[in-house]
Amino acid sequence: MSAATTRSRTPDRLCAEAVDLARAAAEEAAAPGVVGEHVGLVSEGDRVVTHFFECKELGYRGWRWAATVARASRAKIVTLDEVVLLPGPDAVLAPEWVPWSERLRPGDMGPGDLLPTDAEDLRLEPGYTGEDEPAPNSAVSHEMADLVEAEDAEVTAGPPADLATTPSRGSIAAVAEELGLRRARVLSRYGLHIAADRWEEAFGAKTPMAQAAPASCASCAFLVTVGGSLSQAFGVCANEFSPADGRVVSLAYGCGGHSEAAVMPTPPRPAPPVIDETRVDPFPLRPATDSGSVPAVADEDGAELGHS
Ligand code: SF4
């Protein structure tokens, strides 16, 4: 028997000697020729011992066939308990399982995919939904309460799913919808921060493009401003030749396409022709025949006008 791995409990002698029984069981469970050397045993309890055999199967490096044998009290016969393939201390294992929601990366979502958000998602917080009592952390709760008093307007109660799709005209819900506020949840401060960090990293002041830019987006005509609190730091680039076209850019970002970076010189305009209408220039139609004659001139249709 090879050197045994034992726990503090001393293994039962008869069970520890039942290596052949354990090997036969492992070979029966495994494919032919893949059960290798006996590499150790452990005492699992009173008269219960597990024998380990090397697994020679490709792809299972470090794994071991484990055959557990047992013996009844005062019995001399050792019997098989179970056989299983187990990873050893140096086994090659698959990486630890990670839930899909943590595995997802930007760009993983394809057409038709749904990405549910957790009810406790830290990036979101309750928005204004048209309830009688606006959420206490809603940015519009006070304004809406004032409007209710001033206009005695109708406020639809109930969760978003119960709201009428088209709120009645003039109601608080209609006003809120027009302002883009009638959403069950809105971005929390944390959600805004992590979005801003991401955008700043991709199109921010520290990028090589911004460092080499002649000026920042803040002074560029191609910058489209955005609404909300992020407007103080971000906009959208609308220059099709910029690497940031259609992307949210930091106001401190910049690129060589900045509208004022290099204004194209206007090509010089030639001076308009000068027409002198005060003089008539003689234009000979045919060469003079004799030295004394005067060349004939023609009118616009080519008719000869005679000698001048
Ligand atoms: S063209 Fe360049 S400088 Fe102008 S907004 Fe776009 S990224 Fe900013």
Side-chain angles (χ1 to χ4, degrees), residues 23-37:
R23 172 182 290 283
E27 284 176 343
E28 189 182 340
V34 299
V35 179
E37 292 294 309

Side-chain angles (χ1 to χ4, degrees), residues 95-106 108:
E96 198 177 334
W97 183 75
V98 181
W100 68 267
S101 55
E102 294 171 27
R103 260 195 329 261
L104 272 179
R105 289 286 167 269
D108 283 354

Side-chain angles (χ1 to χ4, degrees), residues 37-59:
E37 292 294 309
H38 184 257
V39 290
L41 62 89
V42 293
S43 171
E44 307 281 6
D46 292 341
R47 296 176 301 281
V48 181
V49 168
T50 296
H51 292 270
F52 293 104
F53 300 91
E54 205 176 48
C55 176
K56 300 199 312 197
E57 203 158 4
L58 293 176

Side-chain angles (χ1 to χ4, degrees), residues 232-260:
Q232 297 167 32
F234 296 97
V236 176
C237 173
N239 183 349
E240 65 177 316
F241 298 112
S242 164
D245 181 36
R247 313 296 288 270
V248 177
V249 291
S250 161
L251 297 186
Y253 182 69
C255 77
H258 190 286
S259 59
E260 316 308 322

